[in-house]
């Protein structure tokens, strides 16, 4: 998990409890799995007895970090930032101990709190004078933007970003004795500006540690799916979809990710790697990775439900599971399945036969003859329960979540009927 270490960092950590901070961008009210590497680093530090600080970048979020970006970002208002901060703290509480009275209990801060009353004149006088333009121009993030690789160039706002981030480090050094900043490898330039500022203003020693940016074996962007980011908040990514994401990573990625995103011992991981090599079809690495992360981010119950939901298409207990899972999971499992709308009032009327529903109302079958034939052969199921009598009346009890009916035609063809008011 370590990409770069500033000389002296290891020695500092061996002296005793060290306070380390990581900056988190508050542009949404949920973290996504791209944030998880940094969060795991904070958790490792706390487990080792050090004190973690999670810094929500309320001020820096209003500017936009030029590192690895091709364009400027949208700026956020204070009310949105505060809402996002609270939501992020709740999520971080699953990884870090904020609540106990241990000396290394985690702290959350927002840099907007010390930047909002800092006047521009004070900032350029007290902070700007310590760092030369030559020093700032030498940073890769600045050079890349000024070299003409992008047409937009770079605004003064973004050029000043490393000074603002550097002041965060200086402020945490003064307030909490924070001597170490953590971040992704793209943050090295910004972090070292902070260590330089501490050295020049306070004559103090501060350190930097970065982790590699996570990539996929095929070169694709980690954490992105066709439908966008994989979020930690179940409102944006259901526990089922979250579980499925990890379950479906490649063998090479699973071997890499299990070392980064879990706290399994080296021996346990080596055992899983050996099992995977012996029988890749069983996917022990992916299954364990998906379990560890789903339990950690969501809960054991959510993990068990995700596993059950994954078995719906094949399991003989599927009927029971279908009635148990929530709407979000049901729709995720049957994403891409043909959907048809029907009238809930007609189903409630107690006169609509399955034969009419599945041929006249929705085109699941081209004819009643074909429907009858398949039903007689045992090839028709409603909500995973065999339906032999096509003249049976459709009833509201047949609706999952009071809204859905799952029709299975043969072994592999599914249709989702949605009853609307």
């Amino acid at each position: 998990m370590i990409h770069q270490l500033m000389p002296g960092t290891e020695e500092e950590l061996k002296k005793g409890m060290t306070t380390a901070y990581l900056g988190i961008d508050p542009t949404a009210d949920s973290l996504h799995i791209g944030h998880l590497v940094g969060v795991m680093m904070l958790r490792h530090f706390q487990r080792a007895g050090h004190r973690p600080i999670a810094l929500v970048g309320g001020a820096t979020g209003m500017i936009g970090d030029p590192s690895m970006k091709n364009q400027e970002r949208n700026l956020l208002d204070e009310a949105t930032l505060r809402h996002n901060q609270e939501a992020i703290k709740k999520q971080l509480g699953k990884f870090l101990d904020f609540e106990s009275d241990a000396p290394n209990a985690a702290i959350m801060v927002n840099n907007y709190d010390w930047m909002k009353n800092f006047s521009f004149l004070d900032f350029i006088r007290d902070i700007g004078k310590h760092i030369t333009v030559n020093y700032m121009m030498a940073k890769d993030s600045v050079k890349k933007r000024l070299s003409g690789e992008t047409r937009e160039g770079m605004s003064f706002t973004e050029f000043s970003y490393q000074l603002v981030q550097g002041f965060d480090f200086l402020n945490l050094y003064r307030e909490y004795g924070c001597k170490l900043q953590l971040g992704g490898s793209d943050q090295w330039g910004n972090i070292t500006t902070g260590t330089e500022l501490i050295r020049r203003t306070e004559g103090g020693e501060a350190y930097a540690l970065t982790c590699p940016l996570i990539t996929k074996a095929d070169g694709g962007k980690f954490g992105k799916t066709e439908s966008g980011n994989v979020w930690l908040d179940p409102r944006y990514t259901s526990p089922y979809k979250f579980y499925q994401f990890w379950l479906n990573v490649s063998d090479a990625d699973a071997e890499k990710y299990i070392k980064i995103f879990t706290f399994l011992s080296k021996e346990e991981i080596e055992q899983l790697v050996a099992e995977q090599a012996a029988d890749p079809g069983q996917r022990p690495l992916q299954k364990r990775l998906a379990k560890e992360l789903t339990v950690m981010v969501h809960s054991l119950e959510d993990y068990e439900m995700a596993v059950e939901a994954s078995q719906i298409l094949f399991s003989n207990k599927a009927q029971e599971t279908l009635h148990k899972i929530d709407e979000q999971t049901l729709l995720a499992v049957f994403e891409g399945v043909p959907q048809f709308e029907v009238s809930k009032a007609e189903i409630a009327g107690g006169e609509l036969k399955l034969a009419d529903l599945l041929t006249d109302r929705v085109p699941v079958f081209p004819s009643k003859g074909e429907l009858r034939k398949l039903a007689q052969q045992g090839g028709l199921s409603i909500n995973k329960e065999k339906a032999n009598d096509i003249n049976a009346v459709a009833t509201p009890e047949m609706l999952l979540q009071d809204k859905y009916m799952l029709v299975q035609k043969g072994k592999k063809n599914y249709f989702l009927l949605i009853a609307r008011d």
Side-chain angles (χ1 to χ4, degrees):
M1 289 182 77
I2 296 175
H3 180 74
Q4 273 174 298
L5 268 178
M6 190 175 273
T9 304
E10 285 192 70
E11 291 74 9
E12 175 61 36
L13 292 171
K14 284 174 182 168
K15 285 181 191 172
M17 186 181 85
T18 301
T19 301
Y21 97 90
L22 176 96
I24 294 169
D25 174 13
T27 44
D29 63 355
S30 172
L31 301 173
H32 54 72
I33 59 174
H35 293 107
L36 267 184
V37 191
V39 174
M40 296 302 274
M41 287 170 76
L42 286 178
R43 182 159 169 173
H44 274 297
F45 270 81
Q46 191 170 41
R47 281 164 59 109
H50 301 294
R51 180 168 68 161
I53 297 179
L55 179 143
V56 171
T60 34
M62 288 179 163
I63 299 174
D65 181 359
S67 308
M68 309 290 282
K69 308 285 191 309
N70 291 329
Q71 58 201 28
E72 302 224 357
R73 70 167 55 167
N74 295 328
L75 310 184
L76 301 170
D77 59 67
E78 188 178 353
T80 306
L81 284 167
R82 293 294 178 199
H83 164 73
N84 293 355
Q85 177 185 344
E86 284 310 304
I88 288 168
K89 183 171 184 180
K90 194 174 168 193
Q91 287 183 333
L92 288 174
K94 295 196 170 188
F95 299 86
L96 302 171
D97 165 25
F98 286 97
E99 305 303 326
S100 79
D101 52 6
N104 70 327
I107 300 166
M108 179 177 259
V109 294
N110 188 331
N111 59 11
Y112 185 71
D113 293 334
W114 56 81
M115 288 303 300
K116 64 182 176 186
N117 298 321
F118 206 170
S119 79
F120 178 69
L121 290 176
D122 287 343
F123 187 77
I124 56 174
R125 184 194 64 197
D126 298 344
I127 305 302
K129 70 178 182 184
H130 294 289
I131 302 290
T132 66
V133 169
N134 308 40
Y135 179 87
M136 293 170 74
M137 296 279 282
K139 301 292 182 184
D140 285 342
S141 59
V142 175
K143 282 199 289 196
K144 186 179 170 191
R145 284 291 282 272
L146 295 180
S147 66
E149 286 182 37
T150 59
R151 278 179 297 182
E152 288 87 0
M154 188 179 200
S155 66
F156 173 74
T157 306
E158 285 204 328
F159 181 61
S160 65
Y161 185 92
Q162 56 176 299
L163 274 184
V164 181
Q165 186 169 330
F167 178 62
D168 286 343
F169 201 173
L170 175 60
N171 191 67
L172 294 177
Y173 178 87
R174 288 170 173 167
E175 289 286 314
Y176 299 100
C178 179
K179 290 189 175 180
L180 175 64
Q181 187 179 163
L182 312 170
S185 56
D186 60 325
Q187 290 294 306
W188 185 257
N190 293 334
I191 296 174
T192 50
T193 298
T195 62
E196 186 67 8
L197 193 57
I198 289 167
R199 190 179 66 77
R200 292 185 185 188
T201 56
E202 305 288 316
E205 286 296 327
Y207 304 92
L209 186 155
T210 63
C211 60
L213 293 176
I214 305 300
T215 53
K216 281 173 30 178
D218 64 5
K221 190 167 181 187
F222 167 73
K224 287 276 188 186
T225 64
E226 285 174 18
S227 52
N229 284 320
V230 178
W231 299 93
L232 306 196
D233 190 316
R235 289 175 303 158
Y236 304 134
T237 301
S238 68
Y240 170 79
K241 275 197 164 177
F242 184 85
Y243 167 77
Q244 286 289 327
F245 173 82
W246 299 104
L247 194 63
N248 290 311
V249 299
S250 71
D251 289 4
D253 285 336
E255 189 174 333
K256 180 166 71 172
Y257 297 163
I258 204 160
K259 295 171 185 171
I260 295 169
F261 297 114
T262 74
F263 293 93
L264 300 180
S265 66
K266 191 178 175 198
E267 294 72 30
E268 220 170 337
I269 291 172
E270 283 169 356
Q271 173 68 32
L272 287 164
V273 170
E275 286 173 24
Q276 186 95 350
D279 188 357
Q282 289 298 311
R283 300 169 76 76
L285 275 174
Q286 285 94 335
K287 285 176 182 172
R288 189 61 187 277
L289 175 68
K291 177 179 182 178
E292 292 289 320
L293 275 154
T294 309
V295 171
M296 184 160 56
V297 170
H298 296 291
S299 68
L300 181 60
E301 291 73 28
D302 285 323
Y303 160 72
E304 287 168 348
M305 185 54 72
V307 173
E308 278 191 53
S310 305
Q311 299 300 317
I312 280 179
L313 304 179
F314 321 104
S315 159
N316 48 9
K317 281 203 320 185
Q319 212 179 313
E320 189 186 319
T321 307
L322 265 181
H323 288 276
K324 241 179 8 182
I325 60 175
D326 58 50
E327 182 176 8
Q328 194 183 20
T329 306
L330 177 75
L331 293 174
V333 173
F334 293 100
E335 193 174 21
V337 162
Q339 296 184 359
F340 300 107
E341 292 197 0
V342 295
S343 157
K344 190 184 273 190
E346 213 173 350
I347 290 176
E351 292 177 8
L352 183 61
K353 293 177 180 176
L354 289 178
D356 297 323
L357 173 64
L358 301 178
T359 55
D360 300 339
R361 299 295 188 280
V362 294
V364 173
F365 289 89
S367 71
K368 289 176 185 169
E370 190 179 315
L371 170 58
R372 185 177 293 106
K373 189 176 168 188
L374 191 73
Q376 285 167 352
Q377 293 167 350
L380 174 68
S381 294
I382 306 288
N383 301 333
K384 297 298 281 186
E385 187 176 351
K386 290 268 186 274
N388 301 320
D389 181 8
I390 64 167
N391 291 312
V393 172
T395 64
E397 288 71 40
M398 289 181 177
L399 296 177
L400 304 165
Q401 305 283 333
D402 195 33
K403 189 175 178 183
Y404 302 98
M405 185 187 291
L406 183 69
V407 180
Q408 188 177 351
K409 177 180 170 183
K411 279 192 175 174
K412 294 184 178 172
N413 295 315
Y414 288 93
F415 302 86
L416 196 61
L417 274 50
I418 305 172
R420 301 275 186 210
D421 289 322

